[in-house]
Amino acid sequence: MQRKLLSPEREDLIVRALEAGMRTIAEFSAELGVSEATVRRDLQSLEATGRLRRVHGGAEPMTLDRRLEPLFNEKTSQMAAEKSRIAELALAQINDHDSIFLDGGSTVLALARHLNERRRLTVVTNSLSAAAELLETPHRLILLGGEFRPISRTLVGPLTAHLANELHINKAFMGTIGFSPAEGMSTTDPNEAYTKELIMRRADRVYLLADSSKIGVSSLVKSGTLADVDVLITEARLPQAVLHVLHKRKIEVITP
Amino acid sequence: MQRKLLSPEREDLIVRALEAGMRTIAEFSAELGVSEATVRRDLQSLEATGRLRRVHGGAEPMTLDRRLEPLFNEKTSQMAAEKSRIAELALAQINDHDSIFLDGGSTVLALARHLNERRRLTVVTNSLSAAAELLETPHRLILLGGEFRPISRTLVGPLTAHLANELHINKAFMGTIGFSPAEGMSTTDPNEAYTKELIMRRADRVYLLADSSKIGVSSLVKSGTLADVDVLITEARLPQAVLHVLHKRKIEVITP
DNA sequence: AAAATAATTGCAAAATCTTGCAAAATACGT
DNA sequence: ACGTATTTTGCAAGATTTTGCAATTATTTT
């Protein structure tokens, strides 16, 4: 049976223990003087509130504020399983010979890694990471030009418009830092936001790829509204309230 | 059976070990204290998240640059000394805060590697290899958008015009496959040629970087005439006849 | 072409996790 | 205080996941 609430006392103990370097269930159990089953339930609670991340065998501390864009090479592994599952769902939306856009971000990057399962796509992207992934594939690759933003490894800003306006994109697969039903999408950089909006307005069909850590989060700059999105792909079970809003906006939701 | 998720603890260990120079399965197995089969499954997970690249016998770290480089290695190693000589001469033509264009090709790439000796350049390029070289520099980097041409790792074709026409370039550093006083420059691909001509016509001052193996050679497609070039930088002692033509066309020649 | 080395896959053992349940602890109304 | 309702806990059975081994398949070397 799932518990209602974890006492803040033990919550502190666990978080403190985590910071001290403890990782395994056995360690926590010994430290807190409770059974392993209880530790697991504790970790379950803490994961639900986002204080830590559970893994087989124990737990690891959660990274800083998610509003700060993770440095690129850093935690692409965060939520890797979730991202990969989302990528598979997205892949199912792509047919051979489609002409698609790939946005920046690690979730979309996971999709790029799956594209060898399709034939002769035309892939437009502003992400150098995605491009690197596709260098050796037989797909046609078109890079959006523009100013390079090191932290996200994307090409962004007004210059991207000159090329984007010349292209016709069937399906755009977008990432985001935050997504909330009320505010829409948000990201950390105005130029990045500019390019995202530009692309979404030019694509026939816009897919937003967002793992559960993005839902309900707002970042600095608005980068598109709900009206810009046609389909939301996520691995999370969304709250009823969110689902209701999405349904009213005629946004399709794809989950595993 | 493929595993769900790799514990971050071991993930860190492997990545750390990789950075420390380990490469083979046996080494990882010894380091982590797990069987080789498990190491292989670990590497599989890490490759899926893009943290490394698996190779027969082990794994190697993956960076964008490393991935972009290999195709070039063959050509780069040929006449490496000459190209480097030329790059140094070209570097002397660049001042802090200049706004320059870098073309594709290994000679120009050698120049890109020297650019950390200047401050705050604005570098426009259509070469992914050059871009990879500049990813971590403090220079401002602008990529020309366009269709990706795998062999040269450049962005080429009519799409490049949309962005190029918006930019003002002080100095353009161009590579070429062939250069002859009679025919001008030539290259192997029409799209490549198109973009080269486009850039040269928009730059204030055009530098052609050509080692001696290029001089007197003609390739398939004309990519600009002598009139497009302001300066020829080469390491070779040019024949009197060639020098004479260049002088008549008011093309400056820079040699060691 | 054969031998050697490495990778993948199926399988079973070990470790870990989830869940139902009853006992213990806690909260709550009187 | 007392009894009852609610929540938490530990236990144990059953489900999952991870792991190492070994057989098979693939790749590289000789």
Side-chain angles (χ1 to χ4, degrees):
Chain A
M1 188 54 176
Q2 170 58 20
R3 75 152 61 71
K4 284 273 143 80
L5 189 84
L6 172 62
S7 92
E9 208 173 320
R10 237 187 15 231
E11 180 177 321
D12 266 16
L13 275 175
I14 293 189
V15 172
R16 204 87 42 79
L18 247 186
E19 282 165 1
M22 278 181 212
R23 293 293 180 274
T24 73
I25 301 282
E27 284 171 326
F28 291 123
S29 172
E31 175 76 8
L32 308 187
V34 295
S35 76
E36 303 205 340
T38 301
V39 170
R40 290 199 176 90
R41 281 183 277 236
D42 290 352
L43 296 180
Q44 207 169 20
S45 301
L46 290 180
E47 181 175 49
T49 65
R51 303 284 308 259
L52 51 76
R53 180 172 137 78
R54 227 141 81 88
V55 297
H56 197 88
E60 62 157 354
M62 186 65 113
T63 44
L64 347 149
D65 193 347
R66 266 234 215 59
R67 287 170 188 229
L68 294 179
E69 195 164 339
L71 215 51
F72 197 85
N73 248 345
E74 218 174 332
K75 298 293 180 177
T76 35
S77 54
Q78 286 271 315
M79 313 215 88
E82 289 83 351
K83 288 180 210 296
S84 177
R85 186 159 323 154
I86 293 173
E88 275 168 37
L89 294 174
L91 182 67
Q93 303 295 313
I94 301 176
N95 306 313
D96 291 352
H97 304 286
D98 267 0
S99 142
I100 67 175
F101 177 85
L102 296 184
D103 191 24
S106 51
T107 313
V108 179
L109 185 58
L111 172 58
R113 298 206 171 95
H114 283 85
L115 289 183
N116 51 6
E117 297 178 32
R118 293 287 176 277
R119 305 272 141 243
R120 278 310 282 173
L121 303 173
T122 295
V123 181
V124 183
T125 185
N126 69 330
S127 157
L128 282 199
S129 304
E133 211 51 60
L134 296 167
L135 282 184
E136 327 231 316
T137 67
H139 302 305
R140 204 154 78 106
L141 176 61
I142 294 175
L143 249 85
L144 226 53
E147 184 152 358
F148 178 67
R149 181 166 179 255
I151 202 171
S152 60
R153 305 216 157 167
T154 51
L155 305 167
V156 298
L159 285 173
T160 56
H162 298 292
L163 217 104
N165 287 334
E166 301 297 319
L167 300 173
H168 181 200
I169 294 162
N170 291 148
K171 302 170 184 173
F173 294 88
M174 311 297 296
T176 189
I177 300 291
F179 171 79
S180 92
E183 316 253 346
M185 288 78 79
S186 53
T187 190
T188 48
D189 178 75
N191 283 322
E192 190 100 38
Y194 174 93
T195 298
K196 279 179 195 288
E197 297 196 358
L198 181 74
I199 293 290
M200 289 192 287
R201 268 150 213 174
R202 290 199 54 81
D204 292 341
R205 198 165 169 78
V206 173
Y207 298 80
L208 183 67
L209 278 50
D211 64 65
S212 53
S213 72
K214 314 289 176 63
I215 311 278
V217 172
S218 277
S219 183
L220 193 64
V221 194
K222 189 162 80 69
S223 59
T225 68
L226 288 198
D228 292 316
V229 178
D230 295 298
V231 184
L232 170 65
I233 305 184
T234 182
E235 102 288 0
R237 196 142 351 130
L238 296 178
Q240 268 305 321
V242 175
L243 282 175
H244 187 247
V245 174
L246 295 177
H247 184 253
K248 230 165 85 179
R249 297 302 204 96
K250 303 223 185 305
I251 296 176
E252 187 185 341
V253 177
I254 299 182
T255 52
Chain B
M1 190 53 177
Q2 169 60 17
R3 73 151 61 70
K4 280 271 147 72
L5 190 81
L6 172 62
S7 99
E9 206 172 329
R10 247 200 352 241
E11 177 180 320
D12 268 14
L13 277 174
I14 293 187
V15 172
R16 204 88 43 79
L18 247 185
E19 283 164 2
M22 279 181 211
R23 293 294 180 273
T24 72
I25 301 280
E27 284 172 324
F28 291 124
S29 172
E31 175 75 9
L32 308 187
V34 295
S35 76
E36 304 205 341
T38 300
V39 170
R40 291 200 175 90
R41 281 182 277 234
D42 290 353
L43 296 180
Q44 206 170 19
S45 300
L46 290 179
E47 181 174 49
T49 67
R51 301 285 306 260
L52 50 78
R53 181 194 192 77
R54 228 137 80 86
V55 296
H56 196 87
E60 61 186 22
M62 185 169 56
T63 61
L64 196 55
D65 337 8
R66 199 172 295 246
R67 183 184 288 220
L68 283 166
E69 245 166 297
L71 235 155
F72 261 117
N73 280 344
E74 16 147 351
K75 251 210 292 185
T76 312
S77 53
Q78 282 174 19
M79 315 210 70
E82 289 82 353
K83 289 180 209 299
S84 176
R85 207 69 246 279
I86 293 174
E88 276 169 37
L89 294 173
L91 181 66
Q93 304 295 313
I94 300 176
N95 306 312
D96 291 351
H97 304 285
D98 267 0
S99 144
I100 67 175
F101 177 87
L102 295 184
D103 191 25
S106 50
T107 313
V108 178
L109 185 59
L111 171 58
R113 298 209 169 95
H114 283 83
L115 289 183
N116 51 5
E117 297 179 30
R118 293 289 178 275
R119 305 274 140 238
R120 280 308 283 174
L121 302 173
T122 294
V123 182
V124 183
T125 184
N126 69 330
S127 158
L128 283 199
S129 304
E133 209 54 55
L134 297 167
L135 281 185
E136 324 237 314
T137 68
H139 301 304
R140 203 153 81 104
L141 176 62
I142 294 175
L143 248 86
L144 226 54
E147 184 152 357
F148 178 68
R149 182 167 177 254
I151 290 189
S152 61
R153 313 227 148 166
T154 51
L155 305 167
V156 297
L159 286 173
T160 56
H162 299 290
L163 216 104
N165 287 334
E166 300 297 318
L167 300 172
H168 181 199
I169 295 162
N170 292 147
K171 303 170 182 172
F173 295 86
M174 311 298 296
T176 189
I177 300 290
F179 171 79
S180 91
E183 317 252 346
M185 288 78 79
S186 54
T187 188
T188 49
D189 177 76
N191 283 322
E192 190 100 39
Y194 174 93
T195 297
K196 281 179 193 288
E197 297 196 1
L198 181 73
I199 292 291
M200 289 192 288
R201 272 156 208 169
R202 289 200 55 80
D204 292 340
R205 198 164 169 78
V206 173
Y207 299 79
L208 183 68
L209 278 50
D211 64 65
S212 52
S213 73
K214 314 288 177 65
I215 311 280
V217 172
S218 276
S219 184
L220 191 64
V221 194
K222 190 162 78 70
S223 59
T225 68
L226 288 199
D228 292 314
V229 178
D230 296 297
V231 183
L232 171 64
I233 305 183
T234 182
E235 101 290 357
R237 188 101 40 91
L238 297 177
Q240 267 306 318
V242 175
L243 281 175
H244 183 69
V245 174
L246 295 176
H247 181 73
K248 230 165 88 180
R249 296 303 204 98
K250 301 221 187 306
I251 297 175
E252 187 185 339
V253 176
I254 298 182
T255 52

